[in-house]
Amino acid sequence: MIQNDYITCRELIGFLADYLEGRLTEEQRHEFDRHLSVCPSCVNYLDAYRKTVALGRLALTPSDSSAQGRAPEGLLQAIKSARRN
Amino acid sequence: MNGATATADYDDAGLLARLRSNDEAAFDELVDLATPRLLSLARKMMPSEADAEDAVQDAFLNAFKNLPGFDGRSKLTTWLHQITVNACLMKLRSRRRRPETSIDSLLPEYLPDGHQKKPQKRWHEIAEGGIEKAEMCELVRSRISELPEQYRVVLVLRDVEGLDTEETAAVLEVTLDTVRTRLHRARQALKALLDPYFAGDTP
Ligand SMILES: [Zn+2]
């Protein structure tokens, strides 16, 4: 086994979602971090990937939190009466 | 059962039993309890508020029709989520004009040795991005809407709705691995779509 052999960018990027979810084994995470320590491009990729997840959540989450918990009364009535017809 | 204020948790056996015995009040209760979350989900999938409301109404009508066949093995919430996602997908499909772009062109390319073909540029910090938050959210929403549907839907359920992998797999009736693969590709594709705005020199 060659100790200095790093995993490739392709392998690292393939691991990203599992890495963020904490699904990697200790050994995999070690290899992941070792690659990051020598590859600025993957550091940037991980950072951009994280920001993408955060931006997606931010963009699609209603800013007015009270609006999230309510539905228009007209819609509720329409559904209720549609069922009875 | 309890006198506490209504919550979005309507998974108790009591409500299901009353629905099954055609208790009128139980149907109304279900509509009141479930609509806000289902509407919030539909709003993330549909292009307009009217479309989202239509999809929720379709979903309920479907649910009422199929309730006798609901076996109770999945939770009522999961089942209604599933029906709502399907109602949204039906509506979206019926009006799609152009074929969806393949996601492959948005995934990273690699050299034969496994290195990235194009190095990833550093993204600037979101807060100092130079565009207003509302404008930025609008931009991200419009890029999300460009993602092929099967990827977009997983992104919405996992990253926005906060369903876990198992719940998402149950709603979409696909395997856990499919959910994980689609989520990863969706995030990568969205990143690629956002690269021009957040990486490099554009302020
Ligand atoms: Zn790398």
Side-chain angles (χ1 to χ4, degrees), chain A residues 48-66:
Chain A
Y49 186 94
R50 271 200 172 114
K51 285 174 177 158
T52 298
V53 175
L55 280 171
R57 185 172 300 136
L58 180 72
L60 288 181
T61 303
S63 48
D64 179 3
S65 59
S66 67

Side-chain angles (χ1 to χ4, degrees), chain A residues 8-10 13-14 16-17 21 23 41-42 44-45 47-49 51-53 55-61 67-69 71-72 75-76 78-80 82-84, chain B residues 24 27-28 32 35-36 39 44 53 57 60 64 108 110 113-116 119-120 122-125 133 136-137 140-141 158-160 180 184 187-188 190-191 198:
Chain A
T8 63
C9 297
R10 181 199 284 270
I13 290 173
L16 272 185
E21 252 189 272
R23 282 172 40 85
S41 180
C42 279
N44 290 342
Y45 201 100
D47 175 63
Y49 186 94
K51 285 174 177 158
T52 298
V53 175
L55 280 171
R57 185 172 300 136
L58 180 72
L60 288 181
T61 303
Q68 207 175 8
L75 176 64
L76 298 175
I79 294 168
K80 290 172 189 172
R83 192 188 67 81
R84 298 197 174 93
Chain B
E24 281 297 319
F27 285 104
D28 288 356
D32 288 335
T35 302
L39 183 61
K44 288 159 194 155
E53 293 190 14
Q57 183 157 350
F60 268 110
F64 294 144
Y110 299 98
D113 68 2
H115 281 78
Q116 294 171 72
Q120 172 70 45
R122 216 176 82 76
W123 276 26
H124 46 71
E125 292 309 312
K133 187 182 165 202
M136 184 179 73
C137 286
V140 174
R141 272 197 296 275
R158 285 284 285 104
D159 283 347
V160 186
R180 292 196 181 103
H184 186 42
R187 289 164 167 177
Q188 290 180 282
L190 181 57
K191 183 205 70 65
F198 293 102

Side-chain angles (χ1 to χ4, degrees), chain A residues 6-20:
Chain A
Y6 292 93
I7 59 169
T8 63
C9 297
R10 181 199 284 270
E11 286 172 293
L12 181 131
I13 290 173
F15 276 150
L16 272 185
D18 289 336
Y19 175 78
L20 293 186

Side-chain angles (χ1 to χ4, degrees), chain B residues 15-28:
Chain B
L15 180 60
L16 184 58
R18 284 167 56 219
L19 290 168
R20 286 211 159 113
S21 62
N22 276 317
D23 176 342
E24 281 297 319
F27 285 104
D28 288 356

Side-chain angles (χ1 to χ4, degrees), chain B residues 94-163:
Chain B
S94 69
R95 71 171 62 159
R96 187 187 304 145
R97 285 174 220 113
R98 55 191 165 86
E100 288 184 317
T101 45
S102 156
I103 201 160
D104 293 340
S105 62
L106 295 171
L107 300 180
E109 289 187 287
Y110 299 98
L111 299 168
D113 68 2
H115 281 78
Q116 294 171 72
K117 214 168 180 178
K118 270 194 308 184
Q120 172 70 45
K121 285 195 191 159
R122 216 176 82 76
W123 276 26
H124 46 71
E125 292 309 312
I126 301 303
E128 60 192 37
I131 34 177
E132 294 298 324
K133 187 182 165 202
E135 200 185 323
M136 184 179 73
C137 286
E138 188 50 46
L139 167 75
V140 174
R141 272 197 296 275
S142 90
R143 291 305 165 267
I144 289 174
S145 74
E146 288 175 29
L147 294 175
E149 185 182 285
Q150 58 173 339
Y151 297 97
R152 187 161 49 89
V153 88
V154 172
L155 185 93
V156 166
L157 293 176
R158 285 284 285 104
D159 283 347
V160 186
E161 288 286 292
L163 269 61

